[in-house]
PDB file of all heavy atoms in Angstrom:
ATOM      1  N   HIS B  72      13.573  28.606  -1.841  1.00 94.00           N
ATOM      2  CA  HIS B  72      14.359  27.969  -2.900  1.00 94.00           C
ATOM      3  C   HIS B  72      13.770  28.312  -4.273  1.00 94.00           C
ATOM      4  O   HIS B  72      12.567  28.154  -4.479  1.00 94.00           O
ATOM      5  CB  HIS B  72      14.370  26.458  -2.700  1.00 94.00           C
ATOM      6  CG  HIS B  72      15.504  25.783  -3.404  1.00 94.00           C
ATOM      7  ND1 HIS B  72      15.601  25.760  -4.776  1.00 94.00           N
ATOM      8  CD2 HIS B  72      16.590  25.137  -2.932  1.00 94.00           C
ATOM      9  CE1 HIS B  72      16.703  25.104  -5.107  1.00 94.00           C
ATOM     10  NE2 HIS B  72      17.325  24.715  -4.004  1.00 94.00           N
ATOM     11  N   GLU B  76       8.224  25.450  -5.772  1.00 96.00           N
ATOM     12  CA  GLU B  76       6.990  26.222  -5.712  1.00 96.00           C
ATOM     13  C   GLU B  76       6.210  25.690  -4.519  1.00 96.00           C
ATOM     14  O   GLU B  76       5.716  24.562  -4.529  1.00 96.00           O
ATOM     15  CB  GLU B  76       6.190  26.078  -7.000  1.00 96.00           C
ATOM     16  CG  GLU B  76       4.992  26.980  -6.951  1.00 96.00           C
ATOM     17  CD  GLU B  76       4.396  27.271  -8.321  1.00 96.00           C
ATOM     18  OE1 GLU B  76       5.075  27.023  -9.338  1.00 96.00           O
ATOM     19  OE2 GLU B  76       3.246  27.723  -8.346  1.00 96.00           O
ATOM     20  N   MET B  78       3.227  25.324  -2.132  1.00 96.00           N
ATOM     21  CA  MET B  78       1.771  25.492  -2.184  1.00 96.00           C
ATOM     22  C   MET B  78       1.203  25.029  -0.857  1.00 96.00           C
ATOM     23  O   MET B  78       0.916  23.845  -0.677  1.00 96.00           O
ATOM     24  CB  MET B  78       1.193  24.652  -3.318  1.00 96.00           C
ATOM     25  CG  MET B  78       1.686  25.035  -4.699  1.00 96.00           C
ATOM     26  SD  MET B  78       0.984  23.933  -5.922  1.00 96.00           S
ATOM     27  CE  MET B  78       1.172  24.919  -7.393  1.00 96.00           C
ATOM     28  N   GLY B 190       6.859  14.605 -13.492  1.00 96.00           N
ATOM     29  CA  GLY B 190       7.324  13.300 -13.935  1.00 96.00           C
ATOM     30  C   GLY B 190       7.377  12.285 -12.812  1.00 96.00           C
ATOM     31  O   GLY B 190       7.331  11.081 -13.042  1.00 96.00           O
ATOM     32  N   ALA B 195       4.665  12.117   1.078  1.00 96.00           N
ATOM     33  CA  ALA B 195       5.248  12.346   2.409  1.00 96.00           C
ATOM     34  C   ALA B 195       4.168  12.924   3.312  1.00 96.00           C
ATOM     35  O   ALA B 195       4.320  13.985   3.885  1.00 96.00           O
ATOM     36  CB  ALA B 195       6.444  13.294   2.295  1.00 96.00           C
ATOM     37  N   GLU B 224       5.598  18.623  24.925  1.00 91.00           N
ATOM     38  CA  GLU B 224       6.521  19.383  24.068  1.00 91.00           C
ATOM     39  C   GLU B 224       6.170  20.860  24.074  1.00 91.00           C
ATOM     40  O   GLU B 224       7.035  21.726  24.151  1.00 91.00           O
ATOM     41  CB  GLU B 224       6.464  18.872  22.624  1.00 91.00           C
ATOM     42  CG  GLU B 224       7.063  17.502  22.407  1.00 91.00           C
ATOM     43  CD  GLU B 224       8.561  17.461  22.647  1.00 91.00           C
ATOM     44  OE1 GLU B 224       9.236  18.503  22.495  1.00 91.00           O
ATOM     45  OE2 GLU B 224       9.059  16.378  23.014  1.00 91.00           O
ATOM     46  N   LYS B 287      14.690  11.802  25.980  1.00 94.00           N
ATOM     47  CA  LYS B 287      15.005  13.208  25.697  1.00 94.00           C
ATOM     48  C   LYS B 287      14.254  14.142  26.644  1.00 94.00           C
ATOM     49  O   LYS B 287      14.836  15.072  27.221  1.00 94.00           O
ATOM     50  CB  LYS B 287      14.612  13.534  24.249  1.00 94.00           C
ATOM     51  CG  LYS B 287      14.744  14.990  23.886  1.00 94.00           C
ATOM     52  CD  LYS B 287      13.776  15.398  22.787  1.00 94.00           C
ATOM     53  CE  LYS B 287      12.368  15.540  23.319  1.00 94.00           C
ATOM     54  NZ  LYS B 287      11.410  15.998  22.328  1.00 94.00           N
ATOM     55  N   SER B 431      15.811  11.654   1.474  1.00 97.00           N
ATOM     56  CA  SER B 431      16.920  11.792   0.523  1.00 97.00           C
ATOM     57  C   SER B 431      16.957  10.604  -0.431  1.00 97.00           C
ATOM     58  O   SER B 431      17.250  10.765  -1.619  1.00 97.00           O
ATOM     59  CB  SER B 431      18.254  11.902   1.268  1.00 97.00           C
ATOM     60  OG  SER B 431      18.325  13.148   1.913  1.00 97.00           O
ATOM     61  N   LEU B 441      13.968  11.476 -13.229  1.00 96.00           N
ATOM     62  CA  LEU B 441      13.872  12.823 -13.817  1.00 96.00           C
ATOM     63  C   LEU B 441      15.098  13.177 -14.649  1.00 96.00           C
ATOM     64  O   LEU B 441      15.030  14.039 -15.517  1.00 96.00           O
ATOM     65  CB  LEU B 441      13.672  13.864 -12.715  1.00 96.00           C
ATOM     66  CG  LEU B 441      12.377  13.758 -11.912  1.00 96.00           C
ATOM     67  CD1 LEU B 441      12.303  14.833 -10.850  1.00 96.00           C
ATOM     68  CD2 LEU B 441      11.155  13.845 -12.819  1.00 96.00           C
ATOM     69  N   ALA B 450       6.041  -3.238 -22.283  1.00 93.00           N
ATOM     70  CA  ALA B 450       5.272  -3.592 -23.482  1.00 93.00           C
ATOM     71  C   ALA B 450       4.194  -4.618 -23.133  1.00 93.00           C
ATOM     72  O   ALA B 450       4.257  -5.779 -23.521  1.00 93.00           O
ATOM     73  CB  ALA B 450       6.202  -4.128 -24.569  1.00 93.00           C
ATOM     74  N   LYS B 532      -6.695 -30.841  -8.915  1.00 97.00           N
ATOM     75  CA  LYS B 532      -6.061 -29.518  -8.884  1.00 97.00           C
ATOM     76  C   LYS B 532      -7.047 -28.352  -8.746  1.00 97.00           C
ATOM     77  O   LYS B 532      -8.195 -28.451  -9.156  1.00 97.00           O
ATOM     78  CB  LYS B 532      -5.244 -29.313 -10.167  1.00 97.00           C
ATOM     79  CG  LYS B 532      -3.965 -30.112 -10.151  1.00 97.00           C
ATOM     80  CD  LYS B 532      -3.241 -29.975 -11.447  1.00 97.00           C
ATOM     81  CE  LYS B 532      -2.049 -30.905 -11.490  1.00 97.00           C
ATOM     82  NZ  LYS B 532      -1.632 -31.128 -12.873  1.00 97.00           N
ATOM     83  N   ASP B 547       3.020 -14.564  -2.831  1.00 96.00           N
ATOM     84  CA  ASP B 547       4.458 -14.473  -2.549  1.00 96.00           C
ATOM     85  C   ASP B 547       4.698 -14.242  -1.051  1.00 96.00           C
ATOM     86  O   ASP B 547       5.600 -14.824  -0.463  1.00 96.00           O
ATOM     87  CB  ASP B 547       5.091 -13.310  -3.331  1.00 96.00           C
ATOM     88  CG  ASP B 547       5.402 -13.692  -4.777  1.00 96.00           C
ATOM     89  OD1 ASP B 547       5.304 -14.890  -5.113  1.00 96.00           O
ATOM     90  OD2 ASP B 547       5.736 -12.791  -5.565  1.00 96.00           O
ATOM     91  N   GLN B 555       2.075 -22.561   5.145  1.00 98.00           N
ATOM     92  CA  GLN B 555       1.939 -23.769   4.343  1.00 98.00           C
ATOM     93  C   GLN B 555       0.495 -23.946   3.871  1.00 98.00           C
ATOM     94  O   GLN B 555      -0.448 -23.666   4.617  1.00 98.00           O
ATOM     95  CB  GLN B 555       2.379 -24.994   5.169  1.00 98.00           C
ATOM     96  CG  GLN B 555       3.785 -24.835   5.774  1.00 98.00           C
ATOM     97  CD  GLN B 555       4.878 -24.759   4.705  1.00 98.00           C
ATOM     98  OE1 GLN B 555       5.080 -25.680   3.932  1.00 98.00           O
ATOM     99  NE2 GLN B 555       5.578 -23.627   4.657  1.00 98.00           N
TER     100      GLN B 555
ATOM    101  N   SER C 125      10.162 -15.247  -7.180  1.00 97.00           N
ATOM    102  CA  SER C 125       9.040 -14.523  -7.789  1.00 97.00           C
ATOM    103  C   SER C 125       9.547 -13.533  -8.841  1.00 97.00           C
ATOM    104  O   SER C 125      10.567 -12.882  -8.641  1.00 97.00           O
ATOM    105  CB  SER C 125       8.279 -13.767  -6.707  1.00 97.00           C
ATOM    106  OG  SER C 125       7.351 -12.886  -7.291  1.00 97.00           O
ATOM    107  N   TYR C 145      11.719  -9.678 -23.656  1.00 97.00           N
ATOM    108  CA  TYR C 145      10.392 -10.276 -23.479  1.00 97.00           C
ATOM    109  C   TYR C 145      10.378 -11.768 -23.828  1.00 97.00           C
ATOM    110  O   TYR C 145       9.348 -12.408 -23.756  1.00 97.00           O
ATOM    111  CB  TYR C 145       9.344  -9.508 -24.287  1.00 97.00           C
ATOM    112  CG  TYR C 145       9.036  -8.185 -23.634  1.00 97.00           C
ATOM    113  CD1 TYR C 145       9.806  -7.057 -23.902  1.00 97.00           C
ATOM    114  CD2 TYR C 145       8.018  -8.071 -22.699  1.00 97.00           C
ATOM    115  CE1 TYR C 145       9.559  -5.857 -23.266  1.00 97.00           C
ATOM    116  CE2 TYR C 145       7.771  -6.877 -22.053  1.00 97.00           C
ATOM    117  CZ  TYR C 145       8.549  -5.774 -22.346  1.00 97.00           C
ATOM    118  OH  TYR C 145       8.295  -4.586 -21.695  1.00 97.00           O
ATOM    119  N   MET C 161       6.888 -26.927   2.538  1.00 97.00           N
ATOM    120  CA  MET C 161       8.157 -27.387   3.111  1.00 97.00           C
ATOM    121  C   MET C 161       8.056 -28.787   3.707  1.00 97.00           C
ATOM    122  O   MET C 161       9.044 -29.497   3.800  1.00 97.00           O
ATOM    123  CB  MET C 161       8.632 -26.401   4.185  1.00 97.00           C
ATOM    124  CG  MET C 161       8.878 -25.018   3.603  1.00 97.00           C
ATOM    125  SD  MET C 161       9.263 -23.798   4.857  1.00 97.00           S
ATOM    126  CE  MET C 161      11.030 -23.974   4.931  1.00 97.00           C
ATOM    127  N   GLU C 173       5.697 -29.016 -12.680  1.00 98.00           N
ATOM    128  CA  GLU C 173       4.547 -28.533 -13.441  1.00 98.00           C
ATOM    129  C   GLU C 173       4.602 -27.015 -13.639  1.00 98.00           C
ATOM    130  O   GLU C 173       4.135 -26.503 -14.654  1.00 98.00           O
ATOM    131  CB  GLU C 173       3.250 -28.941 -12.740  1.00 98.00           C
ATOM    132  CG  GLU C 173       3.051 -30.442 -12.781  1.00 98.00           C
ATOM    133  CD  GLU C 173       1.615 -30.816 -13.104  1.00 98.00           C
ATOM    134  OE1 GLU C 173       0.674 -30.115 -12.661  1.00 98.00           O
ATOM    135  OE2 GLU C 173       1.435 -31.810 -13.819  1.00 98.00           O
ATOM    136  N   LYS C 197      10.190  17.163 -16.502  1.00 96.00           N
ATOM    137  CA  LYS C 197      11.290  17.367 -15.543  1.00 96.00           C
ATOM    138  C   LYS C 197      10.818  18.156 -14.329  1.00 96.00           C
ATOM    139  O   LYS C 197      11.259  19.281 -14.093  1.00 96.00           O
ATOM    140  CB  LYS C 197      12.427  18.119 -16.231  1.00 96.00           C
ATOM    141  CG  LYS C 197      12.933  17.428 -17.479  1.00 96.00           C
ATOM    142  CD  LYS C 197      14.115  16.590 -17.153  1.00 96.00           C
ATOM    143  CE  LYS C 197      14.606  15.839 -18.374  1.00 96.00           C
ATOM    144  NZ  LYS C 197      15.588  14.852 -17.990  1.00 96.00           N
ATOM    145  N   ALA C 198       9.882  17.591 -13.604  1.00 97.00           N
ATOM    146  CA  ALA C 198       9.397  18.261 -12.397  1.00 97.00           C
ATOM    147  C   ALA C 198       8.855  17.187 -11.468  1.00 97.00           C
ATOM    148  O   ALA C 198       8.526  16.092 -11.915  1.00 97.00           O
ATOM    149  CB  ALA C 198       8.298  19.258 -12.745  1.00 97.00           C
ATOM    150  N   LEU C 200       6.340  16.328  -7.878  1.00 98.00           N
ATOM    151  CA  LEU C 200       5.339  16.754  -6.902  1.00 98.00           C
ATOM    152  C   LEU C 200       5.701  16.099  -5.576  1.00 98.00           C
ATOM    153  O   LEU C 200       5.931  14.883  -5.529  1.00 98.00           O
ATOM    154  CB  LEU C 200       3.944  16.288  -7.352  1.00 98.00           C
ATOM    155  CG  LEU C 200       2.838  16.286  -6.293  1.00 98.00           C
ATOM    156  CD1 LEU C 200       2.502  17.708  -5.850  1.00 98.00           C
ATOM    157  CD2 LEU C 200       1.578  15.606  -6.838  1.00 98.00           C
ATOM    158  N   ILE C 202       4.050  15.562  -1.925  1.00 97.00           N
ATOM    159  CA  ILE C 202       2.802  15.737  -1.178  1.00 97.00           C
ATOM    160  C   ILE C 202       3.110  15.647   0.307  1.00 97.00           C
ATOM    161  O   ILE C 202       3.509  14.600   0.800  1.00 97.00           O
ATOM    162  CB  ILE C 202       1.755  14.668  -1.568  1.00 97.00           C
ATOM    163  CG1 ILE C 202       1.578  14.592  -3.083  1.00 97.00           C
ATOM    164  CG2 ILE C 202       0.421  14.963  -0.893  1.00 97.00           C
ATOM    165  CD1 ILE C 202       0.691  13.445  -3.547  1.00 97.00           C
ATOM    166  N   ASP C 214      16.291  18.357  -1.689  1.00 97.00           N
ATOM    167  CA  ASP C 214      17.260  17.547  -2.435  1.00 97.00           C
ATOM    168  C   ASP C 214      17.003  17.646  -3.934  1.00 97.00           C
ATOM    169  O   ASP C 214      17.923  17.817  -4.734  1.00 97.00           O
ATOM    170  CB  ASP C 214      17.186  16.074  -2.005  1.00 97.00           C
ATOM    171  CG  ASP C 214      17.970  15.821  -0.727  1.00 97.00           C
ATOM    172  OD1 ASP C 214      18.430  16.806  -0.127  1.00 97.00           O
ATOM    173  OD2 ASP C 214      18.112  14.642  -0.341  1.00 97.00           O
ATOM    174  N   ASP C 217      17.744  21.222  -5.193  1.00 96.00           N
ATOM    175  CA  ASP C 217      19.187  21.454  -5.273  1.00 96.00           C
ATOM    176  C   ASP C 217      19.804  20.750  -6.477  1.00 96.00           C
ATOM    177  O   ASP C 217      20.809  21.191  -7.016  1.00 96.00           O
ATOM    178  CB  ASP C 217      19.884  20.978  -3.995  1.00 96.00           C
ATOM    179  CG  ASP C 217      19.689  21.958  -2.843  1.00 96.00           C
ATOM    180  OD1 ASP C 217      19.291  23.110  -3.116  1.00 96.00           O
ATOM    181  OD2 ASP C 217      19.911  21.567  -1.691  1.00 96.00           O
ATOM    182  N   VAL C 222      10.226  21.680  -8.318  1.00 98.00           N
ATOM    183  CA  VAL C 222       9.462  20.901  -7.340  1.00 98.00           C
ATOM    184  C   VAL C 222       8.208  21.668  -6.934  1.00 98.00           C
ATOM    185  O   VAL C 222       8.270  22.862  -6.636  1.00 98.00           O
ATOM    186  CB  VAL C 222      10.304  20.627  -6.063  1.00 98.00           C
ATOM    187  CG1 VAL C 222       9.493  19.827  -5.045  1.00 98.00           C
ATOM    188  CG2 VAL C 222      11.587  19.893  -6.394  1.00 98.00           C
ATOM    189  N   LEU C 224       5.770  21.677  -3.935  1.00 97.00           N
ATOM    190  CA  LEU C 224       5.623  21.146  -2.577  1.00 97.00           C
ATOM    191  C   LEU C 224       4.232  21.527  -2.079  1.00 97.00           C
ATOM    192  O   LEU C 224       3.945  22.693  -1.835  1.00 97.00           O
ATOM    193  CB  LEU C 224       6.722  21.719  -1.671  1.00 97.00           C
ATOM    194  CG  LEU C 224       6.705  21.317  -0.191  1.00 97.00           C
ATOM    195  CD1 LEU C 224       6.694  19.817  -0.003  1.00 97.00           C
ATOM    196  CD2 LEU C 224       7.904  21.922   0.534  1.00 97.00           C
ATOM    197  N   ASP C 239       9.918  20.454  20.828  1.00 74.00           N
ATOM    198  CA  ASP C 239      10.795  21.481  21.385  1.00 74.00           C
ATOM    199  C   ASP C 239      12.234  21.199  20.985  1.00 74.00           C
ATOM    200  O   ASP C 239      12.821  21.881  20.153  1.00 74.00           O
ATOM    201  CB  ASP C 239      10.646  21.495  22.904  1.00 74.00           C
ATOM    202  CG  ASP C 239      11.586  22.493  23.541  1.00 74.00           C
ATOM    203  OD1 ASP C 239      11.705  23.585  22.980  1.00 74.00           O
ATOM    204  OD2 ASP C 239      12.187  22.170  24.579  1.00 74.00           O
ATOM    205  N   LYS C 240      12.792  20.156  21.561  1.00 75.00           N
ATOM    206  CA  LYS C 240      14.148  19.740  21.183  1.00 75.00           C
ATOM    207  C   LYS C 240      14.054  18.339  20.597  1.00 75.00           C
ATOM    208  O   LYS C 240      13.126  17.600  20.893  1.00 75.00           O
ATOM    209  CB  LYS C 240      15.052  19.707  22.418  1.00 75.00           C
ATOM    210  CG  LYS C 240      15.197  21.049  23.124  1.00 75.00           C
ATOM    211  CD  LYS C 240      16.195  21.935  22.418  1.00 75.00           C
ATOM    212  CE  LYS C 240      16.535  23.166  23.236  1.00 75.00           C
ATOM    213  NZ  LYS C 240      15.403  24.103  23.363  1.00 75.00           N
TER     214      LYS C 240
END
Side-chain angles (χ1 to χ4, degrees):
Chain B
H72 201 294
E76 185 161 344
M78 298 178 159
E224 290 294 333
K287 174 208 76 177
S431 289
L441 296 180
K532 286 176 187 160
D547 279 350
Q555 307 295 299
Chain C
S125 170
Y145 286 86
M161 299 174 89
E173 292 223 324
K197 304 265 178 191
L200 163 67
I202 309 173
D214 278 8
D217 283 344
V222 179
L224 178 54
D239 177 42
K240 300 280 190 292

